[in-house]
Amino acid sequence: MTDYAEVDVAAAGDTPELGKSLENRHVTMITLGGIIGAGLFVGSSTTISQVGPAAVVSFGIAGLAVMLVMRMISEMASSLQGVQAFPDFARAGIGHWAGYLSGWLYWYFWAVVVAVEAVAGAKILHQWYPMFAEWQIGVALMLALTAVNLLSTRAYGEFEFWFSLIKVGAILAFILIAGAWVLGFTNPAGASVANWTAHGGFAPNGWGLVLAAVASTIFTMCGAEIATIAAAESKESTKVIARLSLSVSARILFFYVITLALIVAVLPWNGVVAGYSPFAATLEAIHVPGGKFIMTCLVLVAVLSCLNSSLYITSRTLFGLAKHGDAPQWLVAVNNRKVPARAIVAASLFSYLAYAAERLAPNTVFSFLINSSGATMLLLYILCAVAQLRIRRQLEASAPEKLQIKMWLFPWLTLATIAVMAAVLVFMGINPARRIELWTSLLVAGLFLLGYAAMKKARG
């Protein structure tokens, strides 16, 4: 294991530093925006239609696992000097190879997300502007948000602040509107949660499926760790960011559980259509005018927010890899606005290629890209948890005073979190519908490890 005291921000020598233009409000909303996306507004319909009202439990378990990972990240971020970017925790706790693997897998995951979100945004806007082809709209969206990221870090932060504020405001409004209906204030039939147990019970298809659904729901909650990436360009201290990332993940867990509980109280679970926003269906059921249009606009905002953040993350991850000597050194450069313009352009090129693959070979290359990122975040979270386990034990033995934020019930909760995530991967391996995602993700991880071995051999 790398000694925590020897971890440097750069591989060797002095390197250009990023600016410090992000404020606390930016980092807060960047973190919220990374988690609240189309996975909640649309993707939750699939879980509800398969699991029933107990989908609330599936999301609760997944959210709890992510929150525990964020607690581990908070502990490490507040304890390790000069280490705060998410991929670098594995480097500090396990070794250089783990940092290399985590960094490149993290970059790969979000680079694919850029293309996926561009596809989703283009489909929505094409409904309103049919005179433009979907590929033209998608490229325009990617170019526009790439320009925002090139403009300045603060420009990115401001865009993300307002995108996320709209999403959070919409969720709070939804909770008030749906809550008033469920409690009987606006429902002519009075208060009722009968749909929680009607139509076959709370878990109509069994609790096994409820637990199995954690495999798909946990991916909708990934993104809280973005706070650690943004922290490098924040005016706030690392300790503040560490506490912030945990508090935000707790709020997200609350948002997910409350909104889903209200949805399955208003709608019969067997009437939820997979792929159609259950939020829109709920607003239609309680007769909110223009509910479908409102949710379509909100999904578009969520898509643009995720696209904006994904471009930011890919560039900063590539910049961090270069600083550690794991990517070409010409990427370690910033312009006069302290923006890593070369890393932004280089990181976005792969996303443009991925988007081109969707247009040219949607059922081959693009399908592989999506599947091969399916289990990536779980692999990264497991590496992060193993790193926390090792770093914590080393710190307790040599520098316990550095542990200002501690993981709860260590080491048992850390081990339990690793076990839950490993169980999800095992489920993916035995589930025919998810098996390809696991094996292609492991294939990409293996290719990156081969790349590390080749780099190490070339350097002697």
Side-chain angles (χ1 to χ4, degrees), residues 245-320:
S245 61
L246 178 63
S247 65
V248 166
S249 60
R251 277 178 260 170
I252 291 297
L253 177 59
F254 171 81
F255 281 154
Y256 270 76
V257 171
I258 293 297
T259 53
L260 288 173
L262 291 172
I263 287 171
V264 294
V266 174
L267 300 175
W269 72 269
N270 52 5
V272 174
V273 179
Y276 181 75
S277 173
F279 286 77
T282 300
L283 294 178
E284 291 174 353
I286 59 183
H287 311 297
V288 174
K292 181 179 180 180
F293 177 76
I294 293 171
M295 287 311 306
T296 300
C297 292
L298 186 57
V299 171
L300 178 61
V301 169
V303 166
L304 294 178
S305 171
C306 192
L307 177 55
N308 191 38
S309 284
S310 300
L311 285 166
Y312 173 82
I313 296 166
T314 53
S315 63
R316 270 45 176 195
T317 302
L318 196 56
F319 181 81

Side-chain angles (χ1 to χ4, degrees), residues 193-365:
V193 291
N195 282 327
W196 283 356
T197 54
H199 315 290
F202 186 68
N205 295 319
W207 285 98
L209 190 58
V210 174
L211 296 176
V214 175
S216 58
T217 58
I218 197 168
F219 295 108
T220 68
M221 296 188 175
C222 295
E225 75 290 335
I226 294 174
T228 67
I229 305 294
E233 296 175 86
S234 170
K235 299 175 182 178
E236 306 295 335
S237 70
T238 302
K239 294 175 184 176
V240 172
I241 299 298
R243 293 187 176 91
L244 172 66
S245 61
L246 178 63
S247 65
V248 166
S249 60
R251 277 178 260 170
I252 291 297
L253 177 59
F254 171 81
F255 281 154
Y256 270 76
V257 171
I258 293 297
T259 53
L260 288 173
L262 291 172
I263 287 171
V264 294
V266 174
L267 300 175
W269 72 269
N270 52 5
V272 174
V273 179
Y276 181 75
S277 173
F279 286 77
T282 300
L283 294 178
E284 291 174 353
I286 59 183
H287 311 297
V288 174
K292 181 179 180 180
F293 177 76
I294 293 171
M295 287 311 306
T296 300
C297 292
L298 186 57
V299 171
L300 178 61
V301 169
V303 166
L304 294 178
S305 171
C306 192
L307 177 55
N308 191 38
S309 284
S310 300
L311 285 166
Y312 173 82
I313 296 166
T314 53
S315 63
R316 270 45 176 195
T317 302
L318 196 56
F319 181 81
L321 284 164
K323 289 182 73 173
H324 284 287
D326 294 334
Q329 289 302 289
W330 59 267
L331 292 169
V332 186
V334 297
N335 59 22
N336 56 5
R337 296 185 300 276
K338 297 293 184 180
V339 173
R342 293 179 184 178
I344 292 173
V345 173
S348 64
L349 286 178
F350 180 83
S351 299
Y352 285 94
L353 292 174
Y355 187 73
E358 192 277 335
R359 308 310 309 176
L360 300 174
N363 296 320
T364 53
V365 178

Side-chain angles (χ1 to χ4, degrees), residues 29-89:
M29 287 303 177
I30 286 169
T31 310
L32 286 170
I35 306 175
I36 302 175
L40 172 62
F41 296 124
V42 180
S44 55
S45 61
T46 301
T47 306
I48 295 172
S49 65
Q50 294 175 348
V51 175
V56 176
V57 177
S58 300
F59 274 91
I61 295 173
L64 183 60
V66 171
M67 190 172 74
L68 291 174
V69 171
M70 290 310 302
R71 181 69 180 187
M72 299 177 208
I73 290 174
S74 297
E75 177 186 290
M76 291 185 288
S78 63
S79 303
L80 302 179
Q81 184 67 32
V83 182
Q84 57 191 36
F86 174 65
D88 291 337
F89 295 122

